[in-house]
Amino acid sequence: MSPESKKTIEEKLYANETRVDKTPHLEIADPSVCLECAAKPCTTVCPARTYTWSEEGQKISVSYENCLECGGCRAVCPRSVIAWRNPMGGMGICYRYG
Ligand code: SF4
Ligand code: SF4
């Protein structure tokens, strides 16, 4: 068994590199829709905690720089309001271990 295969998930994730694009690659196209989304699954499915609901501001904040580009949020959003574009070339997550 190679030393690489003995690494834990956390160790492998820690080795990834993210180059943050100045322009967000994720945004909520119509934030007013989120007011009517009771479960807000984007806030629970994202492994990188990109989406946070603010009770005070009554809106979702999107920390796009956390994104691991898995696509889960777009799959679970019941109203399909999460807009996506690929990060610019060389930007975004770079997986060390695939
Ligand atoms: S899942 Fe979609 S509609 Fe619901 S809060 Fe998140 S972005 Fe808004
Ligand atoms: S693509 Fe994946 S990591 Fe990125 S915000 Fe959506 S759920 Fe989170």
Side-chain angles (χ1 to χ4, degrees):
M1 188 180 284
S2 72
E4 282 354 8
S5 61
K6 291 181 183 171
K7 289 186 185 298
T8 64
I9 292 287
E10 288 78 11
E11 287 171 331
K12 289 179 179 178
L13 284 173
Y14 190 70
N16 295 334
E17 182 184 352
T18 300
R19 294 190 189 134
V20 179
D21 199 342
K22 286 182 187 160
T23 307
H25 67 287
L26 284 172
E27 66 178 341
I28 298 178
D30 182 359
S32 69
V33 167
C34 303
L35 294 168
E36 299 161 7
C37 178
K40 298 180 179 39
C42 62
T43 63
T44 53
V45 77
C46 177
R49 298 188 181 162
T50 296
Y51 302 92
T52 311
W53 171 252
S54 164
E55 274 300 331
E56 191 179 338
Q58 290 290 291
K59 67 174 189 176
I60 298 272
S61 66
V62 184
S63 301
Y64 74 95
E65 65 277 10
N66 293 353
C67 180
L68 301 170
E69 299 173 27
C70 72
C73 54
R74 297 189 75 206
V76 299
C77 177
R79 301 289 296 274
S80 301
V81 290
I82 298 176
W84 167 282
R85 69 165 180 80
N86 287 325
M88 297 292 282
M91 308 303 266
I93 187 81
C94 178
Y95 284 99
R96 177 86 200 284
Y97 293 99

